[in-house]
Amino acid sequence: MAATFLAHAKVRFLPPADTAVFERLLLQAWETARAQWPAVALPAEPFVTHLAERLPEESPHTPVEPLLEQLSLAELYLACACARGIASAIELFERNYLAKLPGLLRGHKQPEAMIDDVCQLVRVKLLVHTPEGGPRIEEYTGRGALLSWVRVTAVRVSIRLQASEKPSLEEEPDAALEAMPAPGVDTELDLIKRRHHTEFRQAVREAFSTLSADDRHLLRLYFVDQLSMYELAALFRVNQSTISRWLKTTRQTIYEETQRRLEKRLGLSHHDFKSFIAILQSRMDMSQLLSEETKGDDGGPRS
């Protein structure tokens, strides 16, 4: 364990003069932490590795024992086990920490309608592995109570959700269109910007309003909160192909509704509409536009 610890610590601590004493110190840390969660079987080596990687960065001459005393070893043990996907640890984390979130959020005067969404998002962010990396609970360092760390995470998620629901289409600059080239760079594109961009955005807004609350909520999570399809699948308890199908269907609905309105409003033919969209897409990310549309939505989760 001493060799494992020294190999993974951020600070290259000098090897202790008495290795046996250091071994006993690490063994005691593991046993003390494990005693808090007897149902969670986490071997000593991965715990010591996890511990070493999160130890406060100090001088190489700093004794390790005082540093260990600064950490909540039992909660660090549970977090490590959760990050490794140990079912008993995840069950305990949900029972002892996530189950307390609704009450904590109400204490911070979070909107009642948003609390369930926040709790679901926190669970996904903290516990779900994604192709991009491990669960966020790996970021808990053991400095401070785990429940406080979870609460802070939840409050940040709540703030993001509240910010995403503030009306912005009329109050904030249209970043997507502002990023398009200045007049004269592309005559055809400039003509569309000056003559038709208002009609286009209005048509998208109207198309978006025809979606169900579930579909608007899905788009908000995907475009505004930037959850991956992997995370959405875990959140809605379906497979990724189902999420992909939902997104494809929803985006197709917006496309078709936008097409119908623009063809009627501008007198465009089906061919003209496709050319019109192609020109816009060459300069503007449609996902950014949909992201802006979702910011005013407060739909609930799919069932």
Side-chain angles (χ1 to χ4, degrees):
M1 282 193 290
T4 298
F5 181 92
L6 294 173
H8 289 88
K10 292 180 180 178
V11 175
R12 293 306 175 195
F13 291 100
L14 298 177
D18 192 332
T19 304
V21 172
F22 191 47
E23 285 278 351
R24 285 197 297 271
L25 175 64
L26 296 175
L27 179 62
Q28 182 180 11
W30 172 65
E31 290 177 340
T32 299
R34 183 180 61 169
Q36 181 71 29
W37 316 103
V40 179
L42 177 66
E45 185 171 349
F47 173 68
V48 168
T49 299
H50 194 84
L51 176 62
E53 292 172 343
R54 286 151 186 81
L55 208 65
E57 295 188 36
E58 299 287 347
S59 164
H61 299 279
T62 303
V64 172
E65 186 172 5
L67 298 180
L68 295 181
E69 291 174 352
Q70 298 175 24
L71 305 180
S72 177
L73 295 176
E75 293 186 314
L76 199 58
Y77 178 96
L78 183 66
C80 176
C82 286
R84 293 175 67 84
I86 297 176
S88 58
I90 292 173
E91 181 181 350
L92 286 166
F93 180 74
E94 291 179 332
R95 185 192 312 160
N96 291 279
Y97 298 91
L98 295 182
K100 296 178 180 179
L101 270 184
L104 293 173
L105 291 172
R106 291 187 189 99
H108 283 266
K109 299 181 180 180
Q110 303 298 320
E112 189 69 30
M114 189 181 292
I115 287 178
D116 185 58
D117 278 357
V118 171
C119 292
Q120 291 187 65
L121 285 171
V122 169
R123 185 189 187 282
V124 170
K125 288 180 178 295
L126 295 186
L127 297 177
V128 175
H129 287 259
T130 70
E132 291 76 31
R136 293 280 296 278
I137 198 168
E138 290 181 337
E139 297 177 10
Y140 174 64
T141 64
R143 300 170 219 173
L146 179 56
L147 184 59
S148 297
W149 183 83
V150 171
R151 179 186 57 78
V152 169
T153 301
V155 170
R156 287 173 178 169
V157 169
S158 178
I159 290 172
R160 282 190 59 197
L161 286 182
Q162 290 182 67
S164 73
E165 292 181 353
K166 293 178 181 177
S168 61
L169 289 173
E170 291 76 24
E171 299 174 3
E172 297 180 3
D174 187 338
L177 291 179
E178 288 295 326
M180 295 169 72
V185 174
D186 185 323
T187 304
E188 186 175 13
L189 182 61
D190 181 51
L191 183 64
I192 288 176
K193 284 177 62 180
R194 288 188 288 107
R195 291 187 178 180
H196 301 310
H197 82 279
T198 300
E199 290 89 344
F200 174 73
R201 188 162 296 284
Q202 181 62 28
V204 173
R205 186 182 301 120
E206 292 171 0
F208 182 80
S209 69
T210 66
L211 298 176
S212 67
D214 284 351
D215 287 336
R216 292 196 301 271
H217 183 63
L218 177 67
L219 289 182
R220 188 189 72 194
L221 294 176
Y222 185 68
F223 288 110
V224 179
D225 297 314
Q226 297 183 334
L227 267 67
S228 68
M229 284 194 284
Y230 188 94
E231 291 173 310
L232 288 170
L235 178 62
F236 293 122
R237 293 180 172 84
V238 297
N239 55 44
Q240 291 184 63
S241 62
T242 298
I243 295 295
S244 178
R245 185 177 71 252
W246 286 350
L247 288 170
K248 181 178 180 181
T249 300
T250 302
R251 295 173 75 172
Q252 184 65 25
T253 298
I254 291 178
Y255 182 91
E256 291 173 355
E257 286 296 320
T258 300
Q259 175 183 353
R260 185 175 67 81
R261 285 168 168 74
L262 280 179
E263 287 179 351
K264 180 179 180 180
R265 194 165 297 162
L266 301 180
L268 298 175
S269 67
H270 184 69
H271 179 269
D272 289 339
F273 173 79
K274 287 193 171 182
S275 300
F276 177 73
I277 292 297
I279 293 170
L280 280 179
Q281 287 181 323
S282 69
R283 294 291 192 272
M284 181 170 63
D285 182 0
M286 292 295 289
S287 68
Q288 184 175 1
L289 177 60
L290 289 179
S291 172
E292 292 176 4
E293 295 298 334
T294 63
K295 289 181 182 179
D297 178 56
D298 59 355
R302 284 177 176 265
S303 57

